[in-house]
Amino acid sequence: MEERTRYCLIDGIRGIAIINMVLFHFLYDVYIVYGKYPEWYGLPGIHIWQQTICRTFIFISGFVWVWGKEKNLRRGIMFNLFGLLISFITLIIVPSQSIWFGILNFMGCMVLLMFPLEKMLKKIPAACGMAISFLLFLLCRRIQSGHIGIPGLLQIKVPDLLYAIKILTPFGFPYEGFYSSDYFPLCPWMFLYF
């Protein structure tokens, strides 16, 4: 029987992120979905808390992709199926909080995209790849609002045409009027995953 090595630090970080996610979503449901305190999500620390949870999941998932390679095809498909199920459920039960291309669909797509990208990414030295990915994540962080760059330093406007093509929404170019209560497009989040 093959013995699998566990990495306590990674497992611990993932465990803390899961506990935080459950607590966050419980409070989100109580305060936002059930309308007990609609201003809750606008509080200064709440958005930071939510982003920390999501960024932790994305970073850890990219970090451990190679360790679960033999099950990644199944995992990627399951993430996407659960993401579509959540989109369907929210659309029917809570249309005002519907989710389109949320974190589960993002994770599913990235797990699957890593198969064709793996050979190319392995050619890049790890430290260099992390630095480039971090820089690209920072530069593309505001792409949803039509700009790349760092506010106050250098900003470049992204062509409006990209935001007029609805099918590009999962890539980070949401069309006018698009809404999702959980939206994690490939750009910029793929750079955090890498």
Side-chain angles (χ1 to χ4, degrees), residues 10-109:
I10 300 299
D11 286 343
I13 293 169
R14 190 178 355 211
I16 291 167
I18 289 169
I19 291 167
N20 272 286
M21 179 191 64
V22 169
L23 182 58
F24 176 87
H25 280 286
F26 171 76
L27 294 173
Y28 185 90
D29 288 350
V30 169
Y31 292 137
I32 305 300
V33 176
Y34 295 111
K36 300 292 182 191
Y37 183 35
E39 298 81 24
W40 176 78
Y41 192 72
L43 296 174
I46 301 303
H47 182 69
I48 293 168
W49 182 28
Q50 183 254 359
Q51 288 294 298
T52 301
I53 296 166
C54 295
R55 289 173 192 213
T56 301
F57 276 124
I58 292 169
F59 180 79
I60 293 291
S61 294
F63 186 82
V64 302
W65 184 88
V66 73
W67 297 345
K69 208 160 150 182
E70 68 278 352
K71 294 182 182 177
N72 278 345
L73 179 60
R74 181 176 172 270
R75 189 174 290 126
I77 292 168
M78 293 305 292
F79 271 137
N80 275 306
L81 289 174
F82 284 127
L84 290 171
L85 179 64
I86 287 176
S87 293
F88 179 73
I89 290 170
T90 57
L91 181 63
I92 300 300
I93 296 176
V94 194
S96 66
Q97 296 295 315
S98 60
I99 295 172
W100 299 103
F101 210 79
I103 193 144
L104 289 178
N105 286 119
F106 166 78
M107 298 282 247
C109 288

Side-chain angles (χ1 to χ4, degrees), residues 36-192:
K36 300 292 182 191
Y37 183 35
E39 298 81 24
W40 176 78
Y41 192 72
L43 296 174
I46 301 303
H47 182 69
I48 293 168
W49 182 28
Q50 183 254 359
Q51 288 294 298
T52 301
I53 296 166
C54 295
R55 289 173 192 213
T56 301
F57 276 124
I58 292 169
F59 180 79
I60 293 291
S61 294
F63 186 82
V64 302
W65 184 88
V66 73
W67 297 345
K69 208 160 150 182
E70 68 278 352
K71 294 182 182 177
N72 278 345
L73 179 60
R74 181 176 172 270
R75 189 174 290 126
I77 292 168
M78 293 305 292
F79 271 137
N80 275 306
L81 289 174
F82 284 127
L84 290 171
L85 179 64
I86 287 176
S87 293
F88 179 73
I89 290 170
T90 57
L91 181 63
I92 300 300
I93 296 176
V94 194
S96 66
Q97 296 295 315
S98 60
I99 295 172
W100 299 103
F101 210 79
I103 193 144
L104 289 178
N105 286 119
F106 166 78
M107 298 282 247
C109 288
M110 284 310 300
V111 168
L112 297 175
L113 280 172
M114 285 299 291
F115 285 108
L117 295 176
E118 181 186 18
K119 281 186 181 178
M120 180 190 69
L121 292 173
K122 276 189 170 181
K123 292 179 182 177
I124 303 168
C128 184
M130 282 185 73
I132 291 168
S133 293
F134 182 70
L135 179 62
L136 288 171
F137 178 72
L138 288 178
L139 291 175
C140 294
R141 185 68 188 100
R142 306 248 184 302
I143 201 163
Q144 295 169 34
S145 60
H147 295 89
I148 57 173
I150 299 172
L153 230 49
L154 168 72
Q155 282 197 155
I156 300 169
K157 183 161 175 30
V158 177
D160 291 335
L161 173 66
L162 294 172
Y163 302 91
I165 304 169
K166 290 184 177 185
I167 200 159
L168 294 180
T169 297
F171 296 94
F173 309 103
Y175 59 89
E176 189 176 339
F178 171 78
Y179 173 79
S180 177
S181 63
D182 184 40
Y183 175 55
F184 282 85
L186 293 174
C187 190
W189 298 103
M190 66 181 170
F191 300 118
L192 185 59

